Amino acid sequence: MKVRKAVIPAAGLGTRFLPVTKSVPKELLPILDRPMLQYVVEEAVEAGIEDIIIVTSRGKESIAAYFQPRPELESRLLETGAIEMAQMVKYVSNLADVSFVIQEEPLGLGHAILTAMEAVGNEPFVVILPDDIIDYRPGATSQVLKIAQGYGCGAIAVEQVPWDIIHNYGVVAVEKSDQARTYRVRQLVEKPPMAEAPSNLSIVGRYVLPPDIFECLQNTPPGAKGEIQLTDGIGLLLESRDVYAYEFVGTRYDGGTPLGLLRASLEFGLARNDTAQAVQTLINSLATG
């Protein structure tokens, strides 16, 4: 099963980061010197994805601008001897074949995926949520894609979370498969009470989906807020197709919250040779106050 395309939904309002997201898309907020969105695009490229479709909304034109070539900036940097910085700027514009579609109304993740239906076409594809930053090599997309290709069907990433916070997550009911960390999905349940949760395996923002998901999403009734949920669409998909869950290897950071983004910045900074000492010194000075 060849998978060439990835859909990255980036149309949300970023309300948990207000007021900064009045003018800066949440997806462009940085972890150190790179925006969250670049981390997940790089993860897709590492997994062999050739075409990346980013779903945005009106007012988030700066996302498209970020991936556009900036020859005048490159020239200015080269003139001043900042060769490494010029290479970084060029690298972003050459990173992948990136295209954009507009979600006109915020009608849920499932609706955002439907918006990309024409761009995806009749082939399997990956969905990557940019809020979920996962640190590991090979990346979580590569890991889940390997499971999907091995079974010839859809696959989703999951991780175990404490039972007392399970009500904050979408979770899966599963049966064990013949591979380690891998499960056959029987049901998806959105934010169940702890007493009703079928497992503590929460759904994480990495999916490999067949094109059939589009018809399922078209047949998914909107919820109470008028939103079409991807988990409901995958639930319909399960009626005719197998879907497997893979407990990925790596550390997930919740880039959708300010503290989650701060934690990612600190830990990524500690892991980088060029920033580790400075970040450790900063943490020590704050701790001793």
Side-chain angles (χ1 to χ4, degrees), residues 23-243:
S23 58
V24 180
K26 173 188 65 176
E27 295 79 14
L28 293 184
L29 295 177
I31 298 174
L32 293 181
D33 54 0
R34 287 184 288 165
M36 286 192 287
L37 187 56
Q38 183 173 332
Y39 283 91
V40 295
V41 170
E42 289 174 338
E43 182 183 311
V45 171
E46 180 215 39
I49 299 300
E50 300 169 4
D51 299 321
I52 293 176
I53 303 150
I54 299 179
V55 181
T56 63
S57 55
R58 304 292 177 187
K60 302 183 84 168
E61 290 79 10
S62 55
I63 291 179
Y66 182 77
F67 291 97
Q68 294 300 311
R70 289 288 304 276
E72 74 288 351
L73 177 56
E74 292 175 36
S75 296
R76 179 68 63 86
L77 291 168
L78 289 172
E79 288 170 4
T80 61
I83 297 173
E84 186 174 345
M85 288 186 179
Q87 291 172 338
M88 289 170 59
V89 172
K90 187 174 184 179
Y91 165 78
V92 172
S93 59
N94 293 335
L95 185 55
D97 184 0
V98 181
S99 60
F100 299 86
V101 295
I102 301 294
Q103 185 185 24
E104 297 290 353
E105 296 182 80
L107 296 178
L109 177 58
H111 182 267
I113 303 305
L114 266 177
T115 302
M117 179 171 66
E118 184 176 339
V120 171
N122 188 34
E123 58 183 283
F125 64 103
V126 169
V127 174
I128 306 176
L129 304 190
D131 284 1
D132 285 328
I133 303 298
I134 300 173
D135 184 27
Y136 196 77
R137 291 294 178 273
T141 298
S142 293
Q143 295 177 44
V144 177
L145 192 52
K146 183 177 180 180
I147 296 301
Q149 291 170 332
Y151 285 100
C153 64
I156 59 178
V158 295
E159 69 173 347
Q160 293 190 39
V161 299
W163 282 97
D164 60 348
I165 60 171
I166 200 68
H167 59 278
N168 294 320
Y169 298 90
V171 299
V172 289
V174 296
E175 63 182 38
K176 197 72 179 68
S177 78
D178 56 352
Q179 293 192 45
R181 310 178 71 91
T182 308
Y183 311 85
R184 186 176 181 183
V185 178
R186 289 304 189 189
Q187 185 184 13
L188 297 90
V189 184
E190 191 65 30
K191 297 181 179 180
M194 182 173 68
E196 300 175 14
S199 76
N200 69 332
L201 291 170
S202 71
I203 302 166
V204 176
R206 304 293 186 273
Y207 309 78
V208 181
L209 299 170
D212 311 57
I213 190 63
F214 292 120
E215 182 178 357
C216 293
L217 289 169
Q218 289 172 326
N219 293 326
T220 298
K225 297 181 180 179
E227 297 182 344
I228 298 173
Q229 298 301 335
L230 180 57
T231 50
D232 292 338
I234 296 174
L236 285 179
L237 183 68
L238 285 172
E239 296 178 5
S240 58
R241 297 271 191 170
D242 285 340
V243 175

Side-chain angles (χ1 to χ4, degrees), residues 249-266:
V249 180
T251 301
R252 182 182 72 89
Y253 300 91
D254 184 0
T257 66
L259 287 180
L261 192 61
L262 175 60
R263 178 190 168 207
S265 292
L266 291 172

